[in-house]
Amino acid sequence: MGSQALFICCRTTDSAGGGACATMEPPTTEATMRLPPCLRHATRAWVLLILALAIPRFASSLPIAPGIPEMSPALRGHLAQAAGDAKLPTWQREYMRRLVGGSGAAAGGPAIPAASAATAADGSWKELVPDGRESQSTIYDPVRDRLVVFGGHDASTLTNNVWVLTLSGVPAWSRLMSLGVPPTARYGHGAVYDRVNDRMVVFGGYDSAGFRNDAWALSFAGPPAWTQLAPTGTLPVARAWHSAIYDSTRGRMIVFAGCNGFAPSYNRLNDVWALSLTGAPSWTMVVSPLPSGDAPDGRFGQSAICDPVRDRMVIFGGMETASNNDEVWALSLGASTAWTKLTFSGSTPGGRAYHGAVYDPLRDRMVVFGGFDTSNLDDVWALSFAGTPAWTQLAPSGATPNGRYCHSAIYDPARDRMVTFGGHDAYSYLDDSWALSLSGTPAWTVIGAPQAGRWSPSVTYDSLRERLLLCGGYGGGHTWYNDVWALSLTGAPAWELLTPVGWGHSTPPVGRKSPSVIYDPVRDRMLLFGGSGDDSGGGGSSSYLNDVWALSLAGTPAWTSLVPDSTPPSGRESGLGGSTFYEPGADRMIMIGGLDDSGPLSDVWSLSLSGSPTWKQLTPTGTPPSARYAMPAYDLARHRIVVFGGWDGTSVFNDVRVLSLSGTPAWTTLTTAGTSPSPRISVVAYDSDRDRLVIVGGAGLTGPLSDTWALSLAGTPAWTQLAPAGDLPGTRYFWNGTLYQSAGHRIIGYGGEGGNSALSGVWALEFRQPPVGVGDDIARPLVEGLRPPAPNPSRGATAVSYSIARPGRVRIGVYDVGGRLVRVL
């Protein structure tokens, strides 16, 4: 069977009609060539027609297709791979997973779970951008020009997922879905790219069972698939935080040193092993453990590179007995293996461990970044090999990455640069990637995500461009950020740094944390108010701010300082310690409470946006809630703000309070049915498709929470505990912010705090697409009983049968798996 997979999508229009059957001839070669590469192979005479409804709100009503016995394991694998393509609409990917999951295991195909849980009202979690991590393995995939990351430790757990970061164009993260059983979640392992077999090879590390000595391969040709290797020969002892390099001359992975114990001895190793990767894999000891003087002392956390010019492995640093060292050793890889300790005059980087290093082939040198000695480091050094080896400290221009350790580093030959990812900076698990250009004057550029390790940035939703906007935050070293980042929420999520200019002022707003930010749709701009920041211009202590700024988003973004002609609210953090909303009917910004030196606040303010901006303190009737640290939601359907729970400095709450904005503002208490969530501080999102509030996790008096709740608002408000499917986010005290993306029927959460670490991943809680509009007099979709095409597969025509619930016209669109319209019937 061939692999030309098309989607037939029904789209309804007005007019009369009845039950029907449509016929589709095989597609043309031109249409076939629009398929993604994973489906462009084999014969072109067969067509697999996959049925799905084009209108997103109807897609969830599709029946799950029965197992397709004619589907070969290979085609099933290609469908599974296509289902992981973030460029496709959610409903298409979901339906492909349902098809593959129906009988994949029985047919010998991938064990991909059916996505029925993903379409339930409880939703399904999906990680869009990885949370920060350390001690992961990272390789450069030259065939696909991407960085590939496996495993590591984030703020809450060990991981065994695989992420890829594209390096061409705008760098974008995506989760790599694979076939086969993956390795156990682990960190401290080593990995190389096996260029002959086009795969990533992983060895060792530490998992929940202890130190490991297993070897795994993740193939990239065709559908990515994990395979555990079963090498012959004597296995190396289990270990973690070792070095692994690829010896391209002999097609093997070289493993050096590491540890397999804990303090104080750590059981440091100094042996060298080779895993052959051509033919049947086998282990060979290259150098047995040697005494000090003949070889490096046992160590772990060192760096290693392959020096192809001299056919040797070069190691630097690592943790020896009681301290980190700055030794450089070279091991010849030819027929006669021998260790040589390199000597050089002049300055050296100093001892360190858990740093990153790459070989720079154009300049014949090793480049080292960061690591840990008595503190985390952010310096860059180069060790030249031509002539007498010599160290040189580089002084890159541009912003500098946070000092870090346990990060990854690869050489990007297409752009002549070193790329780093992740690590730990003593404050946070990091998810940012940095590129260091190596030609001319070195310069750092952050790619893939905002500079990580920041606490309390604020986010808002740019509905015009379907993107999340992130502003500010606070990092180690007394750094208040004033940068603005945009995360696209259509297609593959990609971060982009906005570069606004100051207009009317020489500088943008000072850096700050927890500012209040909203999107002003009338003027296509982001408004920023307050927060706490360094108003001295750098390095000083923080103070609470009450200034207002506007960032225009059309064309080249530009900052403008707004000076309302009235007395402003007091300075405060109002991004997390309170909430601010855009009120469409009144064209104004509404702010409730906040947090300052005195604790939580409870006042209510409005800022009119038409004409000259004016602050006004509102005095709602009714009994207001006590001053509390809470993060409410705006109930668009009822023109009101709903406050759930919060913290007043002593106690946490789980009551629901409502501030009506229609007419005279008024506070009331909302009486709810069902069991309420436990008292907490939590971010609340308004799900406009289902007319409900959704509460995700939060913090109680005893620590962080991970449960999810919904409060229906139609009729008698009632609480329901949700049980989302998918990989759950790690436990966190709260998100830095959440928003509801109606176009994607999902809640987007950014960052947060967990495990005493600032988090920076992006997650989506995706829900089933809702029924025909809430309150519509049309109770069900027009098209029903949509059945699989027959015959299928077919070398000729195939028929699509369906029925309709009432008179109406049906238009059938034929889409390829890239989401492009091929034909209309």
Side-chain angles (χ1 to χ4, degrees):
M1 180 175 180
S3 57
Q4 299 172 1
L6 296 179
F7 291 87
I8 289 188
C9 307
C10 294
R11 190 182 301 272
T12 62
T13 61
D14 296 329
S15 287
C21 180
T23 302
M24 175 65 191
E25 299 292 337
T28 63
T29 301
E30 178 183 2
T32 301
M33 289 308 294
R34 296 178 181 176
L35 301 177
C38 67
L39 293 176
R40 288 183 204 150
H41 76 292
T43 65
R44 300 189 177 185
W46 295 79
V47 180
L48 171 67
L49 294 175
I50 303 173
L51 299 180
L53 288 168
I55 299 178
R57 65 172 67 248
F58 293 158
S60 61
S61 64
L62 278 171
I64 297 179
I68 304 176
E70 298 88 354
M71 186 184 294
S72 68
L75 179 57
R76 192 177 297 278
H78 291 306
L79 278 176
Q81 183 185 9
D85 186 352
K87 295 183 177 66
L88 299 182
T90 301
W91 61 268
Q92 287 189 1
R93 290 183 282 124
E94 178 182 304
Y95 197 69
M96 280 191 283
R97 291 192 185 101
R98 296 167 76 184
L99 285 173
V100 172
S103 57
I112 296 181
S116 57
T119 62
D122 286 3
S124 179
W125 280 109
K126 178 182 179 181
E127 196 172 4
L128 302 182
V129 176
D131 265 324
R133 61 196 62 202
E134 51 103 351
S135 297
Q136 67 284 343
S137 62
T138 304
I139 59 100
Y140 173 68
D141 175 1
V143 177
R144 299 154 195 89
D145 192 21
R146 63 186 182 179
L147 180 148
V148 182
V149 178
F150 165 68
H153 189 283
D154 63 21
S156 60
T157 186
L158 298 176
T159 66
N160 66 346
N161 49 38
V162 180
W163 287 86
V164 298
L165 176 67
T166 58
L167 296 177
S168 59
V170 177
W173 282 104
S174 61
R175 177 86 172 265
L176 185 68
M177 307 306 294
S178 57
L179 311 182
V181 178
T184 55
R186 64 187 64 197
Y187 71 152
H189 46 287
V192 300
Y193 175 70
D194 175 3
R195 67 183 65 173
V196 173
N197 298 293
D198 191 20
R199 62 184 180 175
M200 179 181 191
V201 179
V202 175
F203 168 70
Y206 184 86
D207 67 8
S208 59
F211 293 92
R212 303 302 300 260
N213 64 350
D214 49 350
W216 296 77
L218 175 61
S219 61
F220 296 138
W226 280 109
T227 304
Q228 183 171 5
L229 303 182
T232 59
T234 302
L235 271 65
V237 297
R239 66 191 67 201
W241 292 282
H242 47 281
S243 301
I245 67 164
Y246 181 66
D247 178 3
S248 59
T249 302
R250 299 161 191 87
R252 61 183 183 170
M253 177 171 68
I254 304 294
V255 173
F256 166 66
C259 67
N260 60 9
F262 301 101
S265 70
Y266 293 103
N267 292 338
R268 297 172 176 86
L269 307 168
N270 76 341
D271 50 350
V272 183
W273 292 79
L275 175 64
S276 64
L277 299 175
T278 56
S282 63
W283 280 110
T284 304
M285 180 181 284
V286 178
V287 178
S288 60
L290 294 175
S292 176
D294 298 322
D297 287 336
R299 65 192 61 202
F300 59 93
Q302 68 284 340
S303 61
I305 59 99
C306 180
D307 174 3
V309 176
R310 297 156 194 86
D311 194 19
R312 64 183 182 177
M313 174 177 71
V314 179
I315 69 155
F316 165 65
M319 180 174 283
E320 286 186 329
T321 52
S323 62
N324 303 317
N325 73 78
D326 63 352
E327 298 173 344
V328 180
W329 288 79
L331 176 69
S332 56
L333 298 176
S336 177
T337 56
W339 281 108
T340 303
K341 186 175 182 179
L342 303 187
T343 59
F344 24 78
S345 59
S347 301
T348 66
R352 66 190 62 203
Y354 307 121
H355 46 285
V358 301
Y359 176 68
D360 176 1
L362 299 184
R363 296 156 198 88
D364 191 21
R365 62 183 181 175
M366 177 170 70
V367 179
V368 174
F369 165 63
F372 185 88
D373 187 16
T374 56
S375 62
N376 45 301
L377 305 170
D378 65 357
D379 50 350
V380 182
W381 291 77
L383 175 61
S384 61
F385 293 138
T388 302
W391 282 107
T392 303
Q393 184 170 3
L394 305 184
S397 60
T400 302
N402 301 29
R404 63 191 64 201
Y405 53 92
C406 291
H407 50 284
S408 309
I410 61 102
Y411 177 68
D412 175 4
R415 298 157 195 86
D416 188 22
R417 62 184 184 176
M418 176 175 70
V419 177
T420 72
F421 167 69
H424 201 278
D425 68 353
Y427 295 93
S428 305
Y429 293 85
L430 308 174
D431 77 334
D432 51 349
S433 296
W434 290 77
L436 177 67
S437 61
L438 298 175
S439 62
T441 302
W444 281 113
T445 305
V446 62
I447 62 174
Q451 184 166 354
R454 64 178 70 191
W455 301 78
S456 303
S458 295
V459 300
T460 191
Y461 179 43
D462 177 356
S463 56
L464 179 63
R465 299 167 186 85
E466 291 289 335
R467 62 183 184 177
L468 176 150
L469 299 177
L470 178 144
C471 180
Y474 175 79
H478 300 292
T479 302
W480 283 269
Y481 295 106
N482 66 349
D483 50 354
V484 180
W485 288 78
L487 176 69
S488 61
L489 297 177
T490 58
W495 282 108
E496 180 184 4
L497 176 63
L498 303 185
T499 54
V501 296
W503 181 62
H505 289 265
S506 59
T507 59
V510 297
R512 63 193 70 202
K513 67 184 181 75
S514 294
S516 176
V517 292
I518 67 163
Y519 175 65
D520 174 2
V522 174
R523 298 155 196 87
D524 190 21
R525 62 183 182 176
M526 182 183 78
L527 293 182
L528 178 148
F529 166 75
S532 63
D534 179 18
D535 57 4
S536 67
S541 59
S542 65
S543 60
Y544 290 96
L545 307 170
N546 66 350
D547 49 348
V548 182
W549 291 78
L551 177 65
S552 62
L553 298 174
T556 301
W559 282 112
T560 305
S561 176
L562 301 185
V563 184
D565 57 0
S566 54
T567 303
S570 60
R572 65 190 68 196
E573 292 185 3
S574 51
L576 293 178
S579 284
T580 307
F581 307 92
Y582 176 75
E583 184 185 356
D587 191 22
R588 62 181 180 174
M589 182 173 78
I590 298 290
M591 181 179 70
I592 299 179
L595 185 72
D596 65 12
D597 282 326
S598 65
L601 305 168
S602 61
D603 47 353
V604 181
W605 290 79
S606 71
L607 176 65
S608 62
L609 300 178
S610 59
S612 177
T614 303
W615 281 111
K616 178 182 179 182
Q617 184 170 3
L618 306 184
T619 54
T621 61
T623 303
S626 58
R628 61 183 68 180
Y629 184 97
M631 289 158 273
Y634 181 63
D635 178 358
L636 181 64
R638 296 165 188 82
H639 195 200
R640 64 185 183 178
I641 294 172
V642 183
V643 181
F644 165 72
W647 171 72
D648 66 359
T650 304
S651 303
V652 287
F653 306 95
N654 65 346
D655 55 344
V656 182
R657 307 300 299 273
V658 173
L659 175 63
S660 172
L661 296 175
S662 298
T664 301
W667 281 109
T668 57
T669 300
L670 193 66
T671 302
T672 61
T675 302
S676 300
S678 59
R680 67 189 67 196
I681 311 168
S682 183
V683 174
V684 182
Y686 176 64
D687 176 355
S688 57
D689 287 320
R690 291 154 203 85
D691 193 20
R692 64 180 182 176
L693 300 183
V694 178
I695 289 91
V696 179
L701 287 180
T702 58
L705 303 165
S706 58
D707 48 351
T708 304
W709 294 78
L711 177 63
S712 61
L713 297 176
T716 301
W719 284 108
T720 304
Q721 184 169 3
L722 305 182
D727 296 331
L728 302 180
T731 300
R732 59 193 72 207
Y733 287 97
F734 43 74
W735 301 89
N736 289 121
T738 61
L739 56 91
Y740 187 76
Q741 184 194 11
S742 183
H745 309 284
R746 59 186 182 174
I747 292 172
I748 306 293
Y750 170 76
E753 177 184 342
N756 296 320
S757 177
L759 305 177
S760 47
V762 182
W763 290 75
L765 179 54
E766 300 180 335
F767 298 109
R768 169 186 289 174
Q769 289 139 351
V772 173
V774 176
D776 272 357
D777 58 355
I778 302 174
R780 55 184 179 170
L782 171 66
V783 177
E784 295 180 333
L786 186 65
R787 289 176 285 280
N792 181 34
S794 171
R795 291 183 180 273
T798 186
V800 181
S801 301
Y802 57 90
S803 59
I804 58 176
R806 61 190 178 278
R809 289 182 60 84
V810 174
R811 184 179 67 172
I812 296 179
V814 182
Y815 293 79
D816 66 19
V817 292
R820 293 171 287 260
L821 182 65
V822 177
R823 291 182 61 184
V824 176
L825 307 177

